[in-house]
Amino acid sequence: MTQNGNLKRRVRARAAKTGESYTASLRHIRQLPDKSAIRSIRMAVAQTSLFNDPRDTSALHASGAEVRRLMEDAHEAGARLIHFPEGATCSPNKRIMSENGPREIGPSDWNRFEWNVLREELEATRELASKLKLWTVFGSVHQLTSPHRPHNSLYVISDRGELVTRYDERLLSNTKISFMYSPGKNPMTFEVDGLRFGCSLGMELHYPEIFTEYERHDVDCVLFSTTGETPSLAFAAEALGHAASNSYWISFSAHAPQSVTAPSGIAAPDGQWAVRCPTNGEAAIAITTIRNDPGSPARPWRRKARADLYTPHQIDGDPRSDGRNLF
């Protein structure tokens, strides 16, 4: 009984930390992976067409069909996981949603969303993930109980077709927090074949603390999803910077209109693009193999450096050190 009780406590602690379900946490704890082993998986990053009117049922069906077509492409190319943009199913336009709009941006009227149609597409995507044995991570609006605003989220579907967990955007833009969404509360991680993933979306790429937090959670890759039509060169540059400064992979998934200058891609821990989607403005995927590097000294050294390594070596009371006006 004591051993079983300890196991349950460990499972609950992991579920609380990572956001996984109890079943997923139990499965990972029982696997007891060897952290020193080199592991790799083949993963795909997608860029999709931008569908931004949640009243348009035909567009909602089209977005779901496109997502599933790209899942098929990824499966045929041998991918184990595919990562999609923010709002891959639908990224509601703030002016379409505004109860005062479209000229004035105001509180969003979420009764305009065809929620039943969205759920049909989500279920079809979940079923295909199970059929293909393909981990699938994609952006969607997550409805809450009225009158609460929804979350802007990433769903994580396992290769068994299970909704393993969900990440909710935490650091929202001014428009999102003022008129559209409820912010999330916690980071979220999940594991595939011994590699640990974190999730981020929206404008969170601007905040280094999101990515250093995931480094402390021992992730091997962060899946970042964004939306919009305007190319964001800053986002692409920041993705490379976070990958290099944290020594892990970053998957950068955006909508196809942005691809002219900022296509979706996967950044390696050295701060270089390992692979990128085409720059033709069309829906597509790009695939590469990502792996951990347990022998790399970079992350252990940086953690040591951040843990007050230098304080004992600092010099006090030496005028040659304290004085700022001497050569």
Side-chain angles (χ1 to χ4, degrees):
M1 286 296 293
T2 302
Q3 184 176 5
N4 189 47
N6 288 337
L7 175 62
K8 289 182 177 180
R9 281 192 291 273
R10 289 173 60 200
V11 173
R12 292 192 186 101
R14 178 189 169 88
K17 178 179 179 181
T18 65
E20 296 171 340
S21 67
Y22 185 93
T23 301
S25 295
L26 176 62
R27 184 165 64 247
H28 288 304
I29 285 178
R30 282 177 170 169
Q31 287 175 349
L32 295 175
D34 178 6
K35 293 185 179 296
S36 66
I38 297 176
R39 294 181 173 83
S40 65
I41 69 167
R42 193 156 174 80
M43 70 169 288
V45 62
Q47 59 190 32
T48 59
S49 304
L50 178 60
F51 297 93
N52 62 10
D53 188 345
R55 305 166 301 179
D56 188 341
T57 58
S58 62
L60 287 171
H61 287 307
S63 70
E66 182 177 89
V67 164
R68 292 188 290 276
R69 175 177 64 80
L70 295 176
M71 290 170 64
E72 295 273 8
D73 292 345
H75 172 70
E76 291 176 6
R80 184 82 171 97
L81 179 151
I82 184 169
H83 169 218
F84 286 95
E86 172 186 359
T89 51
C90 180
S91 183
N93 184 284
K94 57 189 177 184
R95 296 188 182 277
I96 292 175
M97 299 305 295
S98 173
E99 62 183 22
N100 303 328
R103 293 185 178 181
E104 179 185 348
I105 300 173
S108 295
D109 179 4
W110 289 102
N111 290 321
R112 298 176 183 181
F113 206 120
E114 291 289 345
W115 294 107
N116 290 335
V117 178
L118 174 66
R119 290 192 181 94
E120 289 176 14
E121 296 303 319
L122 297 181
E123 181 62 21
T125 299
R126 185 197 65 76
E127 291 177 356
L128 183 61
S130 177
K131 177 183 176 182
L132 300 178
K133 306 301 180 187
L134 178 69
W135 283 79
T136 304
V137 182
F138 61 94
S140 182
V141 179
H142 180 74
Q143 187 180 25
L144 301 186
T145 306
S146 181
H148 300 129
R149 296 173 183 170
H151 290 311
N152 185 36
S153 304
L154 285 175
Y155 289 125
V156 179
I157 309 296
S158 76
D159 57 352
R160 299 181 180 183
E162 301 169 338
L163 178 54
V164 174
T165 189
R166 186 192 76 247
Y167 176 73
D168 305 319
E169 184 182 4
R170 292 177 283 166
L171 299 180
L172 304 171
S173 69
N174 180 58
T175 297
K176 284 180 176 178
I177 193 62
S178 299
F179 302 120
M180 299 188 73
Y181 298 108
S182 298
K185 300 176 183 178
N186 302 305
M188 185 277 295
T189 66
F190 65 98
E191 292 183 16
V192 180
D193 300 343
L195 292 180
R196 180 173 291 182
F197 294 84
C199 291
S200 175
L201 77 159
M203 64 177 298
E204 291 181 338
L205 206 58
H206 289 323
Y207 299 98
E209 57 269 33
I210 291 285
F211 295 85
T212 55
E213 179 182 42
Y214 276 127
E215 194 281 330
R216 293 193 298 272
H217 279 74
D218 287 320
V219 303
D220 300 292
C221 178
V222 173
L223 308 178
F224 172 77
S225 299
T226 188
T227 187
E229 296 181 271
T230 305
S232 180
L233 294 176
F235 271 16
E238 286 173 320
L240 296 179
H242 292 316
S245 61
N246 292 291
S247 298
Y248 55 49
W249 299 81
I250 289 185
S251 181
F252 174 85
S253 183
H255 286 290
Q258 300 186 40
S259 70
V260 177
T261 57
S264 295
I266 299 175
D270 62 359
Q272 303 294 320
W273 293 111
V275 68
R276 302 189 84 178
C277 287
T279 58
N280 57 8
E282 297 181 1
I285 60 171
I287 297 180
T288 193
T289 298
I290 72 167
R291 56 181 54 83
N292 65 343
D293 186 5
S296 172
R299 292 176 74 171
W301 173 255
R302 290 171 187 175
R303 289 181 176 182
K304 188 175 181 180
R306 288 166 176 150
D308 217 20
L309 168 67
Y310 302 103
T311 300
H313 301 278
Q314 292 171 350
I315 305 300
D316 294 319
D318 186 334
R320 296 290 301 172
S321 176
D322 297 338
R324 304 294 176 181
N325 59 344
L326 303 171
F327 287 116

